[in-house]
Amino acid sequence: MSGQDGHTRADLDVIREMGTGLSNVGKAFEGLENLSGKYGEDFGHGGLADKFEEFAENWEISREKLAEEVKALAKIAKGAAKAYEDIDHQLAEAIRGSKGSKKSPRGR
């Protein structure tokens, strides 16, 4: 958001695209494979396998939380773009309405 003369300007396309991009990131996180319990034997060492399992369990919890937060941000961005667009349309209608209702000074 930027503007001149103290006015705020929001690029609605960028905000909308951000919402779509965040939705895609959330879907990607949801689609990631669960690592827990899959590679224990591949490590060849029980201690290393245990550490990886601990990491995988923590990652699963963190990934789920992150996916939820990213989806919430996507929803906020999409909602913000819609709200800004609605306000812009309402302001445009109000301006058009006020211009149409003014009487011409010649009509006196």
Side-chain angles (χ1 to χ4, degrees):
M1 284 190 219
S2 64
Q4 296 174 335
D5 303 325
H7 298 282
T8 301
R9 184 181 184 304
D11 189 334
L12 300 183
D13 290 333
V14 170
I15 295 171
R16 251 187 242 98
E17 288 172 13
M18 182 176 61
T20 300
L22 288 169
S23 290
N24 292 338
V25 170
K27 289 175 188 173
F29 270 105
E30 288 176 341
L32 291 176
E33 178 182 6
N34 184 356
L35 301 175
S36 185
K38 293 195 175 197
Y39 300 102
E41 294 178 11
D42 295 337
F43 285 98
H45 183 273
L48 185 56
D50 290 343
K51 289 296 179 186
F52 181 80
E53 185 64 26
E54 182 180 328
F55 163 80
E57 289 171 1
N58 288 334
W59 168 242
E60 183 68 21
I61 293 167
S62 297
R63 182 174 59 92
E64 288 172 4
K65 288 179 183 177
L66 185 58
E68 288 174 18
E69 290 183 21
V70 167
K71 287 193 306 186
L73 286 173
K75 187 176 180 180
I76 289 168
K78 290 176 182 179
K82 175 82 171 103
Y84 285 128
E85 191 172 62
D86 290 347
I87 290 168
D88 190 45
H89 288 301
Q90 290 171 8
L91 289 172
E93 287 297 318
I95 290 169
R96 281 192 282 272
S98 70
K99 285 182 180 178
S101 66
K102 288 184 180 178
K103 294 184 180 179
S104 171
R106 290 185 223 167
R108 289 186 186 177

